[in-house]
Amino acid sequence: MQTNSKDWRYTVMPAVFTWLKESASGDLEIDLAATQKYAAKILKVQGKGGTRMGGLVGSGTLGENSYLSTQQRLSLLSALSRVAKEYNVPLISGAAAETKEELAKIVTELATVGVDTVMVMPPKTQEAPSDEEMYAYYALAASAAKEAGITIMPYNNPDAAGYHALSTQLLTRLAALPEVTALKISTIDVSIIETMMLENKELKILAGVDTVTVYAGLAGACGGITGVGCIFPKASLTMQEHINNGEWAEANKISQAMNSISYLDAQPLLMEYLKFAFGIHHNDATGGLRTLGKALTPQQVDDVHTRYTLAKQRLEILGLID
C-alpha cells in the first residue's frame, strides 16, 4: 500500500506545534521561521519501510489555535503552506464557528493562504443542533470549499468538552458529500469507527488520538493525525506501516513503547503537555516552545519528563529514534 497525498489513505500526519519568541515589547509572538524549520524536519523523516508523513496539520489544537488572532492564524498557515508545497503534501487546518455563515467565511479565508483541507469542528453553540441543522452547517462549509477549490474534513471529537458529538448516521451522510475528503474521529471509543466501517467499507476515516492508533486501524481507520508523531516521527510512521501491512503484533509493540507519552494526547492539557515534551526532545523546553496556554505545575513538569524519558528509552531499544 502506497501513501497517496490525494486520498490520504495509509498515512499519518503531524499536528505541528507553533514556535513562539519574545517580541521587543516582551510579549510572545509566533516564530514563523522556527515553526517552518521543524515542520520541514518532521516531513523529512522516514519510517523503517520508507514512508513519510502524508500531510501537514497546522494551527490545530496543538498549534495554539484557540490562543491566536485571526491574523496570526492566517500568517502561520501561509508560512506552513510553503513547507507543505515543498514536500508535496496537503496542508490541513481547523475551523469552528457558531453559525454556518460564519463557518463558510472562515473556510474561504483559509483557502486564500494555502490550506488544502479544513477540519470542520461542530458548531460552538450551547444547545446541540439537530442532525438536520448540523448537516446544513457542514453542507454550507462544503459549498464554500468547492467554490474555493479545496475540501473539508468533518471532525468528530466527542470526548473533548465544548464539542457536540456527531452521530454515526450523520457522519456517514456527510462522508457522501463530494467535498469531504475524509472524516477525522478523535475518540478512545473505536467502536464508533468499526460501526461506520461495517456499514460502508469505502469510508476514509482518520484517527485522532495517539493511544488508540492500532485499535483504530483494526477497526478500519486508514490513517491518523498525530501529536506524539511530532516528537517521535520515525516511530509513528513505522507503526502505521505495520498497520497497513496487517502486522498487528509489531504495530502494538511500538504503540506500547510510546504509551507513556501517548497517554498525554488524550488529556485536557494535551497541547501544554506534548509541547513541553517536544521542547525536552529538542533541548528547548523553556525557549521557542513556551506556550500561550496554561502554565504546568512542577508536578506536571516532572510527570512529562518521566513519560518522555520512558518512551524514548523504549523506542531506542526498537531503533526508532530519529
Side-chain angles (χ1 to χ4, degrees):
M1 295 177 180
Q2 296 297 316
T3 297
N4 183 328
S5 63
K6 291 184 179 180
D7 69 11
W8 300 355
R9 284 179 288 187
Y10 320 123
T11 187
V12 63
M13 294 175 280
V16 294
F17 303 100
T18 299
W19 286 62
L20 303 171
K21 62 182 179 181
E22 193 170 299
S23 67
S25 65
D27 294 328
L28 290 180
E29 63 182 20
I30 299 174
D31 189 332
L32 294 175
T35 303
Q36 287 176 307
K37 174 184 174 182
Y38 281 94
K41 188 173 181 180
I42 292 167
L43 293 178
K44 289 177 184 176
V45 175
Q46 293 184 345
K48 282 190 173 182
T51 66
R52 298 176 189 256
M53 298 288 184
L56 182 64
V57 181
S59 187
T61 300
L62 295 181
E64 311 264 347
N65 183 287
S66 61
Y67 297 99
L68 303 180
S69 68
T70 298
Q71 189 53 51
Q72 286 176 317
R73 195 174 297 116
L74 293 176
S75 296
L76 171 62
L77 291 167
S78 179
L80 288 174
S81 175
R82 293 192 285 276
V83 178
K85 284 181 171 59
E86 180 181 353
Y87 289 89
N88 192 31
V89 296
L91 175 65
I92 301 100
S93 188
E98 287 191 20
T99 68
K100 59 182 185 291
E101 292 80 12
E102 182 186 354
L103 175 65
K105 181 181 177 182
I106 294 172
V107 170
T108 301
E109 283 180 339
L110 293 177
T112 66
V113 293
V115 171
D116 297 292
T117 293
V118 180
M119 291 187 300
V120 181
M121 276 75 88
K124 297 189 294 185
T125 55
Q126 289 187 347
E127 296 294 327
S130 66
D131 272 9
E132 286 305 315
E133 290 171 329
M134 196 82 83
Y135 182 82
Y137 173 85
Y138 281 95
L140 188 59
S143 178
K146 180 179 180 180
E147 188 171 334
I150 63 174
T151 58
I152 67 169
M153 181 192 301
Y155 180 12
N156 191 32
N157 196 345
D159 299 331
Y163 289 105
H164 304 303
L166 304 177
S167 68
T168 56
Q169 293 83 1
L170 177 60
L171 284 165
T172 301
R173 190 177 170 195
L174 291 175
L177 290 169
E179 296 76 31
V180 170
T181 190
L183 303 172
K184 181 185 177 184
I185 297 182
S186 295
T187 176
I188 58 174
D189 181 7
V190 297
S191 66
I192 293 173
I193 298 174
E194 186 173 42
T195 297
M196 295 182 64
M197 293 303 298
L198 286 172
E199 293 178 0
N200 183 356
K201 296 186 183 301
E202 300 304 313
L203 290 178
K204 287 182 283 189
I205 295 177
L206 299 176
V209 181
D210 282 306
T211 52
V212 297
T213 299
V214 177
Y215 305 110
L218 277 165
C222 62
I225 293 177
T226 177
V228 174
C230 294
I231 306 169
F232 299 119
K234 185 174 182 179
S236 288
L237 284 163
T238 304
M239 181 167 64
Q240 187 63 46
E241 289 171 349
H242 287 308
I243 292 171
N244 295 347
N245 295 326
E247 297 162 353
W248 304 110
E250 292 303 311
N252 197 48
K253 189 183 301 182
I254 300 172
S255 178
Q256 289 177 332
M258 292 195 292
N259 188 59
S260 63
I261 194 168
S262 295
Y263 167 85
L264 301 176
D265 188 50
Q267 304 307 307
L269 294 181
L270 74 160
M271 186 267 286
E272 289 88 344
Y273 288 149
L274 291 180
K275 195 173 190 184
F276 184 71
F278 190 73
I280 298 170
H281 192 61
H282 290 283
N283 299 311
D284 191 29
T286 58
L289 283 163
R290 70 193 91 189
T291 176
L292 297 169
K294 296 181 179 179
L296 298 180
T297 66
Q299 182 179 2
Q300 289 169 330
V301 167
D302 288 344
D303 184 49
V304 174
H305 265 286
T306 300
R307 290 178 177 280
Y308 165 80
T309 301
L310 181 57
K312 184 181 178 184
Q313 290 172 343
R314 289 169 171 171
L315 291 173
E316 282 175 338
I317 294 172
L318 297 176
L320 291 173
I321 297 296
D322 310 310

